[in-house]
Amino acid sequence: MNAADDKTIVKEYFNSTGFDRWRRIYGDGEVNKVQLDIRNGHQQTVDKVLGWLKADNNLASLSICDAGCGVGSLSIPLAEAGAKVYASDISEKMVEEAKERSMSILGTENPTFAVQDLETLSGSYHTVVCLDVLIHYPQQKADEMISHLCSLAQSRVILSFAPKTFALSLLKKIGSFFPGASKATRAYLHREADVVKILASNGFTVQRQSMTRTRFYFSRLLEATRQ
Ligand SMILES: C[S@@+](CC[C@H](N)C(=O)[O-])C[C@H]1O[C@@H](n2cnc3c(N)ncnc32)[C@H](O)[C@@H]1O
């Protein structure tokens, strides 16, 4: 499968069965045990990013691009904390849901939401965040995406990916990684060294890192700043 196919499949998935599944996981209603585990893991990742950004204090009016924003799990609390958030996602359905959630929680035009492939984003933002998106793409496409995100960032890039460790490769092989309906999309694991290398080739150095690991959710989080 080539990367263009990956993108089409991912987009269709997050506009159909994937939308139903992830809207529930990223919500607060009743879900099954696996989905609850993934919800809790993902929330830990979101909380870590919020914690990092808030620890650096002045979130007020900081411009943040949330690429592949999903239903706004990060964008909405970031806007609530005062950041100026530009959120976008390739899936119309995810963006529609994000807008509704944002309107009912914040009732403001911040964040702004757009349906857009992250590779077509333009502009310049203090910080660019991309959480749990790269997992849908093979390394070469992920490299291109990371490079593009770096080109949008004045100062900092924060991204997460599923690390290619022996344990995870094994789990993926035996099929227990991302179980159930989400198997409709492939889950790609990425070597941390490859991600660090592509960040470095774009002038970014890793400053903070974290690993969130629950039973069914694995996400390596890196913050890199422009040197
Ligand atoms: C697992 S969800 C994560 C959503 C959000 N970042 C979060 O952490 O809550 C992955 C999201 O990436 C989006 N996505 C996948 N490929 C994309 C692309 N090329 N450009 C923009 N969004 C993309 C999907 O539509 C989906 O909403």
Side-chain angles (χ1 to χ4, degrees):
M1 195 196 305
N2 66 37
D5 293 333
D6 277 306
K7 204 176 266 184
T8 308
I9 288 169
V10 168
K11 184 178 168 156
E12 281 171 10
Y13 172 70
F14 279 103
N15 272 326
S16 56
T17 52
F19 169 67
D20 292 328
R21 175 180 167 82
W22 290 96
R23 175 186 49 167
R24 262 184 283 123
I25 291 174
Y26 295 155
D28 53 13
E30 208 163 296
V31 285
N32 68 36
K33 276 191 183 155
V34 171
Q35 292 170 336
L36 184 61
D37 177 87
I38 297 171
R39 176 190 286 171
N40 291 337
H42 173 259
Q43 190 58 47
Q44 286 179 42
T45 297
V46 169
D47 288 344
K48 280 175 192 172
V49 175
L50 287 170
W52 283 354
L53 294 182
K54 285 180 182 168
D56 295 347
N57 53 59
N58 217 351
L59 258 186
S61 302
L62 201 74
S63 63
I64 301 183
C65 166
D66 184 8
C69 64
V71 296
S73 310
L74 177 70
S75 297
I76 295 170
L78 276 178
E80 206 163 21
K84 183 93 196 73
V85 184
Y86 302 87
S88 54
D89 196 284
I90 201 168
S91 154
E92 294 88 349
K93 298 279 271 184
M94 296 295 265
V95 168
E96 210 177 286
E97 174 79 12
K99 275 186 187 164
E100 274 173 30
R101 289 188 186 192
S102 176
M103 267 302 152
S104 74
I105 296 168
L106 303 175
T108 62
E109 295 300 320
N110 179 35
T112 58
F113 289 99
V115 179
Q116 214 168 335
D117 172 5
L118 68 84
E119 288 193 284
T120 67
L121 290 174
S122 58
S124 178
Y125 310 89
H126 177 276
T127 297
V128 175
V129 189
C130 184
L131 293 189
D132 296 359
V133 177
L134 298 173
I135 189 169
H136 300 297
Y137 296 97
Q139 187 63 47
Q140 203 195 330
K141 181 42 73 186
D143 282 354
E144 289 167 17
M145 289 178 155
I146 293 169
S147 294
H148 185 65
L149 295 172
C150 286
S151 77
L152 307 171
Q154 291 153 15
S155 171
R156 172 169 57 188
V157 171
I158 296 177
L159 46 85
S160 71
F161 58 96
K164 189 165 192 164
T165 58
F166 173 72
L168 271 194
S169 299
L170 197 68
L171 264 180
K172 193 177 173 220
K173 221 174 184 163
I174 60 177
S176 55
F177 185 58
F178 270 42
S182 72
K183 276 189 188 144
T185 60
R186 280 191 65 180
Y188 293 95
L189 308 180
H190 299 290
R191 273 194 198 84
E192 182 157 343
D194 292 338
V195 176
V196 171
K197 194 166 146 201
I198 195 75
L199 285 166
S201 72
N202 284 283
F204 284 76
T205 309
V206 174
Q207 301 295 343
R208 284 189 278 211
Q209 51 212 290
S210 178
M211 177 72 206
T212 304
R213 190 188 178 110
T214 64
R215 206 156 161 222
F216 297 105
Y217 176 90
F218 303 85
S219 191
R220 180 79 170 142
L221 186 64
L222 300 182
E223 176 199 62
T225 55
R226 196 181 273 286
Q227 292 311 293

